[in-house]
mmCIF file of all heavy atoms in Angstrom:
data_model
loop_
_atom_site.group_PDB
_atom_site.id
_atom_site.type_symbol
_atom_site.label_atom_id
_atom_site.label_comp_id
_atom_site.label_asym_id
_atom_site.label_seq_id
_atom_site.Cartn_x
_atom_site.Cartn_y
_atom_site.Cartn_z
ATOM 1 N N ALA A 430 90.038 99.242 -7.901
ATOM 2 C CA ALA A 430 90.636 98.106 -7.190
ATOM 3 C C ALA A 430 91.071 98.512 -5.788
ATOM 4 O O ALA A 430 90.931 97.737 -4.833
ATOM 5 C CB ALA A 430 91.818 97.560 -7.982
ATOM 6 N N VAL A 449 60.906 75.095 -10.402
ATOM 7 C CA VAL A 449 60.276 74.476 -9.232
ATOM 8 C C VAL A 449 59.317 75.461 -8.581
ATOM 9 O O VAL A 449 58.184 75.110 -8.223
ATOM 10 C CB VAL A 449 61.350 74.029 -8.207
ATOM 11 C CG1 VAL A 449 60.690 73.420 -6.968
ATOM 12 C CG2 VAL A 449 62.328 73.043 -8.829
ATOM 13 N N VAL A 487 74.536 82.143 -10.262
ATOM 14 C CA VAL A 487 74.462 82.215 -11.722
ATOM 15 C C VAL A 487 73.205 81.479 -12.190
ATOM 16 O O VAL A 487 72.537 80.804 -11.388
ATOM 17 C CB VAL A 487 75.747 81.608 -12.359
ATOM 18 C CG1 VAL A 487 76.966 82.467 -12.007
ATOM 19 C CG2 VAL A 487 75.964 80.167 -11.932
ATOM 20 N N ALA A 494 69.148 89.303 -11.451
ATOM 21 C CA ALA A 494 69.961 90.516 -11.293
ATOM 22 C C ALA A 494 69.109 91.713 -10.895
ATOM 23 O O ALA A 494 69.553 92.581 -10.135
ATOM 24 C CB ALA A 494 70.725 90.802 -12.586
ATOM 25 N N ARG A 557 77.385 94.625 -15.272
ATOM 26 C CA ARG A 557 78.299 93.673 -15.899
ATOM 27 C C ARG A 557 78.821 92.674 -14.863
ATOM 28 O O ARG A 557 79.039 93.025 -13.702
ATOM 29 C CB ARG A 557 79.467 94.419 -16.549
ATOM 30 C CG ARG A 557 79.052 95.118 -17.856
ATOM 31 C CD ARG A 557 80.172 95.968 -18.416
ATOM 32 N NE ARG A 557 80.400 97.136 -17.583
ATOM 33 C CZ ARG A 557 81.535 97.381 -16.928
ATOM 34 N NH1 ARG A 557 82.547 96.553 -17.021
ATOM 35 N NH2 ARG A 557 81.649 98.454 -16.178
ATOM 36 N N ASP A 632 97.896 66.823 0.838
ATOM 37 C CA ASP A 632 98.652 66.661 -0.411
ATOM 38 C C ASP A 632 97.863 67.233 -1.589
ATOM 39 O O ASP A 632 98.417 67.916 -2.452
ATOM 40 C CB ASP A 632 98.936 65.176 -0.686
ATOM 41 C CG ASP A 632 99.935 64.610 0.306
ATOM 42 O OD1 ASP A 632 100.702 65.405 0.886
ATOM 43 O OD2 ASP A 632 99.934 63.380 0.515
ATOM 44 N N GLY A 641 99.340 77.097 -8.978
ATOM 45 C CA GLY A 641 99.160 78.543 -9.052
ATOM 46 C C GLY A 641 97.771 79.072 -8.767
ATOM 47 O O GLY A 641 97.567 80.286 -8.750
ATOM 48 N N PHE A 646 88.719 78.526 0.741
ATOM 49 C CA PHE A 646 88.213 78.068 2.049
ATOM 50 C C PHE A 646 86.946 78.882 2.254
ATOM 51 O O PHE A 646 86.921 79.874 2.969
ATOM 52 C CB PHE A 646 89.264 78.269 3.140
ATOM 53 C CG PHE A 646 90.249 77.141 3.193
ATOM 54 C CD1 PHE A 646 91.160 76.945 2.174
ATOM 55 C CD2 PHE A 646 90.223 76.234 4.239
ATOM 56 C CE1 PHE A 646 92.040 75.871 2.195
ATOM 57 C CE2 PHE A 646 91.091 75.158 4.280
ATOM 58 C CZ PHE A 646 92.007 74.975 3.261
ATOM 59 N N VAL A 688 66.685 75.986 -1.835
ATOM 60 C CA VAL A 688 67.224 74.626 -1.769
ATOM 61 C C VAL A 688 67.383 74.170 -0.321
ATOM 62 O O VAL A 688 67.049 73.038 0.033
ATOM 63 C CB VAL A 688 68.579 74.566 -2.501
ATOM 64 C CG1 VAL A 688 69.099 73.146 -2.539
ATOM 65 C CG2 VAL A 688 68.439 75.117 -3.926
ATOM 66 N N LEU A 714 91.178 81.849 14.691
ATOM 67 C CA LEU A 714 92.450 81.805 13.969
ATOM 68 C C LEU A 714 93.492 82.648 14.692
ATOM 69 O O LEU A 714 94.660 82.253 14.812
ATOM 70 C CB LEU A 714 92.270 82.319 12.528
ATOM 71 C CG LEU A 714 91.438 81.428 11.585
ATOM 72 C CD1 LEU A 714 91.284 82.090 10.219
ATOM 73 C CD2 LEU A 714 92.085 80.050 11.426
ATOM 74 N N THR A 726 96.025 89.415 4.040
ATOM 75 C CA THR A 726 96.360 88.789 2.754
ATOM 76 C C THR A 726 95.169 88.004 2.207
ATOM 77 O O THR A 726 94.803 88.128 1.037
ATOM 78 C CB THR A 726 97.572 87.850 2.929
ATOM 79 O OG1 THR A 726 98.701 88.645 3.325
ATOM 80 C CG2 THR A 726 97.908 87.115 1.639
#
Side-chain angles (χ1 to χ4, degrees):
V449 178
V487 294
R557 285 174 290 117
D632 291 337
F646 276 69
V688 184
L714 291 177
T726 297

